[in-house]
Structure formats: structure tokens, C-alpha cells
Amino acid sequence: MAWIRGGGLGLAAVAYIAVDYLRHLSPSWHELLQPLLWIVLALIAITRVPFYKHWSAELHSALVFVAALVFMLCTLLYEMISVRSVTAVLGLSWHRSTPPLPDTGQWILLGLNEKLPQVVVNILRARIVGLHHYLMLFVMLAFSVLFGSIEAPGLGIGARYMFTMAIGRFLRAISFASTILPSPRPWCAASRFDVPQHPHRWAQKFYVPYASDSYAIKNVIHHDMVYDDGVVQDDEYRPNWGLMSFLADFLRPIPSGESAWISLLKKAGGGCNDLLYSGHMLVAVLTAMAWTEAYGGLSSVFIWMLVAHSAQREVRERHHYTVDCIVAIYVGFLLWKMTGFLWPLNNKKSRLKKLEGIEGKLYQAAKDSDLEQVQDLLAQVDSTTKDQVGKERAMQFFAGGTIIFALTVVVLAFVLTSDG
């Protein structure tokens, strides 16, 4: 499988993007080729499992991987609650009547449409890549450890990706919940959320009386106290959710809507006011950073081109303001740089220690011009045979379980994010 080590991973990435784009050009060919491509890639990965030499390193990273996964799921739950809450608290009437903010990025893109050749404009408008594509590209990168394309352990880079993602999603939820920005799509809230038309009593008390009246704003600044307790409507529907009943104030269900709180979170398929910063762009940047650090080459340039294309599309289609995408790019970059302690530092240190242990023998073998001995000694640096003595069955069981678990996560990620 030298073709993957020699650049085949980049070709596989390009093939995946190209085949998936067929859904827009030729749906019939897409239905045929996409499953075929995934089956071929999965079978190639499975055939490499018996020849993989770093299961001991994978085992050492397994606990960190699981902890990162749990942490990420917790932050995603918090984010989902915040996504609905920032829209629900102001009521549908506010979202329908509040105009979007002026965005110079949108102006520039509209101006370029008049100047650029039509074929370039069509490429910029094309829906080439989405959220699930970036997740799948990272999965391909992580699985390429089986071919020696990236440094082991694969679970290590997976843990770093999820841990960085979790921190990024948590910071994002804090950011957009701190200051609620009007959506670039004023109709978004009404089409996605079943919430009351009027603001929540918190917004009626702390925001509405001082929202547009200059005199009222000056007074509240001067007194630094609420002086107009203007709660005019407080007939909130409060379902019996047991221990989770406190979420009613944040999710604001209506009697005719979903009955379970978790159903409310899953129903929208995306938010409207979760703007600063873009979650889609965070995923895109983390994938590009992982690809650049682990694999490099021209394929990394290709991934960054996809990131740039996604950013302009987010602004062009008014899913986000330009500032949302810019902040997501540098936050993703900085966060990835800050989590280098998870991968590949530990593995590098381990290899250096092994190299130091054989330094004398290596020097003597080189002095004696014993090439075979030099090769054997260098092979020991990457070898994990000593770690696996007496543990072959456990390692085989762990290897099988890891592959099954990883493939299950891949399928779930693909299904759950296919709608963006």
C-alpha cells in the first residue's frame, strides 16, 4: 500500500469530494459510486489491521480518546441548548422584524459577482463541501495511520481533534450567548423553531424597555438599575420534564410542539442566532490544521482551498456574517496549536528515548559498516514487539474493537451530519 504513503491519501480525499459532488451533477451516478468508494476504502483499511505495529501506542491513547469523546459530547449538548435559547428568549416577532447587521463581506462578494467571469462566480456558488465532508476528511486522515501515512497513534490525533473541538464549541456557545446578534436570514427563526411570538419575561424586564428609546437607554446607563419592570406577558408553557424542567425557561416549548426536551434540541437541524463564531468553519479549520500538521503536501493546500471556499459561501448564502468566519479561522488555528500536548509529542519522546538507548550499538554497527545490524537497530525504534509479549490476544481483541468502534462512529457522523 505504498501508494497511500506516497500521496494516495490526497488522491483519496479528492476522489471523495469529487464523487460526493456528483449528487448535484448526476444523482444516479452518485448513488452508485459513493457507497462503492466507501466500501473500497473501508476494506483497504481493514486489510491493513493485521500488519499494523503500533497497537500498544493506540492502547495507551484509548483512555484519553474516550475522555475527549465524552467531553466533546457534553459541550455539544450545552451548545445545542444555547442555540435554541438565544433564539427563543426574544420571541419570533423580534426575529421577524429586526433587520440583519450591515456586512461589508457580503457587499464585496456581491460586487465581485459583477466583475468576475461567470464560470468563476458559478464555482464560488457551488456547494462543493459541507460539514460532513470535513468530518469525513479527518476520519480518512486518522485511518491513514494504518498505512504509515501519519504518525501513530491514530487515537491520539483523534483525541486531540475532539478535545480541541470541544473547547472550541464551548467558547463558541459562550460567545454567541453573551450578545445576541440578529440573523442574516430574518425568516430563519420562524422556519426552524416552535417558540412563542413574545419575548421571555427576562427579555421583557431587562431588554425591551431599553431597546430603542434613547431616553430610556440614557436613564438605565445613569442609574445602572432596572427602573421599568415592564413584564407584560408571562404565560409560559411549562411541561413536566422532571429533573430537566428548569430547561423550559431556556427552550420555551409551546403546547402544540414537541413533548420531550431532547426532541426540541434535535428538531431544528441548525440554529439562527448562533453566529459569533461559525461552528462549521471551526470544524473546517481544525480538519485543515490536522491535515497540514500530520500529512502536509499539496493535499493540505487543497483542504485549505476548500476552507476558503466554505468561508465565502457561509457569507454569500447569509448563514453567517463575515466576522463569524474570520474569528472561527483564527480561533481554530490557535486552539489547535495549544493542544499539541495530546499528539504527537508523547510518541516522539518515546522514540527519542528508544533511540538514545541504542545509540552506542548504532554507533558501533556504523563503525563496523554492518548495514544489517544498523537496520535491525533502527527497526527496534518503531517496533512494539516487546510491549506486546504475552499480550497478543488482548491486542488482537483491542484492535478489532477499535476498528469496529471507529467505523461505527464514522457511519453515525455521516448520517447525523449529512443535512449540515
Side-chain angles (χ1 to χ4, degrees), residues 307-356:
V307 172
H309 188 275
S310 295
Q312 62 87 30
R313 258 193 61 221
E314 289 289 304
V315 178
R316 182 184 296 276
E317 298 176 7
R318 303 205 175 197
H319 297 294
H320 278 278
Y321 296 110
T322 306
V323 65
D324 308 336
C325 298
I326 292 173
V327 173
I329 290 171
Y330 68 69
V331 167
F333 178 86
L334 293 174
L335 285 179
W336 183 262
K337 289 297 184 182
M338 290 171 60
T339 55
F341 62 90
L342 287 172
W343 180 95
L345 189 62
N346 294 337
N347 196 41
K348 283 182 177 176
K349 283 184 177 179
S350 174
R351 292 178 67 187
L352 284 172
K353 282 184 181 178
K354 288 183 180 180
L355 197 57
E356 287 173 4

Side-chain angles (χ1 to χ4, degrees), residues 36-238:
L36 186 63
L37 177 65
W38 281 117
I39 290 170
V40 169
L41 292 176
L43 288 176
I44 292 174
I46 290 170
T47 57
R48 289 295 302 170
V49 171
F51 307 102
Y52 186 56
K53 298 178 180 179
H54 302 287
W55 288 114
S56 179
E58 300 292 348
L59 182 59
H60 293 153
S61 297
L63 256 178
V64 179
F65 179 86
V66 172
L69 177 62
V70 172
F71 179 41
M72 184 182 72
L73 292 175
C74 291
T75 57
L76 287 175
L77 177 61
Y78 171 68
E79 183 189 38
M80 289 169 68
I81 294 172
S82 301
V83 165
R84 182 178 173 101
S85 175
V86 294
T87 298
V89 70
L90 291 168
L92 293 182
S93 296
W94 183 89
H95 295 285
R96 198 178 290 113
S97 60
T98 305
L101 299 175
D103 187 351
T104 53
Q106 293 170 1
W107 306 351
I108 291 170
L109 290 174
L110 289 173
L112 288 175
N113 288 346
E114 299 174 352
K115 304 295 183 182
L116 294 174
Q118 189 59 42
V119 64
V120 176
V121 174
N122 290 340
I123 292 172
L124 293 175
R125 289 173 176 169
R127 298 185 176 184
I128 297 173
V129 62
L131 174 64
H132 66 284
H133 293 101
Y134 290 110
L135 294 175
M136 293 303 111
L137 286 171
F138 176 78
V139 167
M140 291 168 68
L141 178 71
F143 268 94
S144 72
V145 74
L146 295 171
F147 305 89
S149 297
I150 66 171
E151 190 172 346
L155 291 181
I157 192 172
R160 181 178 178 183
Y161 187 78
M162 290 190 296
F163 182 72
T164 312
M165 181 89 69
I167 296 174
R169 304 303 283 211
F170 180 66
L171 293 176
R172 165 179 135 81
I174 292 175
S175 299
F176 70 69
S178 300
T179 302
I180 302 173
L181 303 177
S183 173
R185 296 181 165 201
W187 63 88
C188 177
S191 63
R192 288 188 174 182
F193 296 103
D194 293 325
V195 297
Q197 298 287 331
H198 62 278
H200 188 272
R201 67 177 187 279
W202 298 335
Q204 291 183 48
K205 179 177 180 179
F206 298 110
Y207 169 71
V208 174
Y210 324 105
S212 57
D213 186 337
S214 298
Y215 180 74
I217 295 172
K218 286 179 181 178
N219 271 346
V220 80
I221 292 172
H222 178 70
H223 296 291
D224 195 27
M225 289 288 290
V226 171
Y227 66 86
D228 182 358
D229 193 2
V231 177
V232 294
Q233 192 170 356
D234 187 18
D235 53 351
E236 298 287 314
Y237 170 63
R238 299 183 181 279

Side-chain angles (χ1 to χ4, degrees), residues 381-417:
V381 175
D382 290 322
S383 175
T384 55
T385 13
K386 289 183 180 178
D387 296 331
Q388 294 184 18
V389 172
K391 301 180 183 178
E392 286 187 6
R393 286 189 179 180
M395 284 298 170
Q396 289 172 359
F397 177 77
F398 173 72
T402 301
I403 293 299
I404 292 171
F405 175 75
L407 290 175
T408 303
V409 169
V410 170
V411 172
L412 286 174
F414 186 80
V415 171
L416 296 177
T417 64

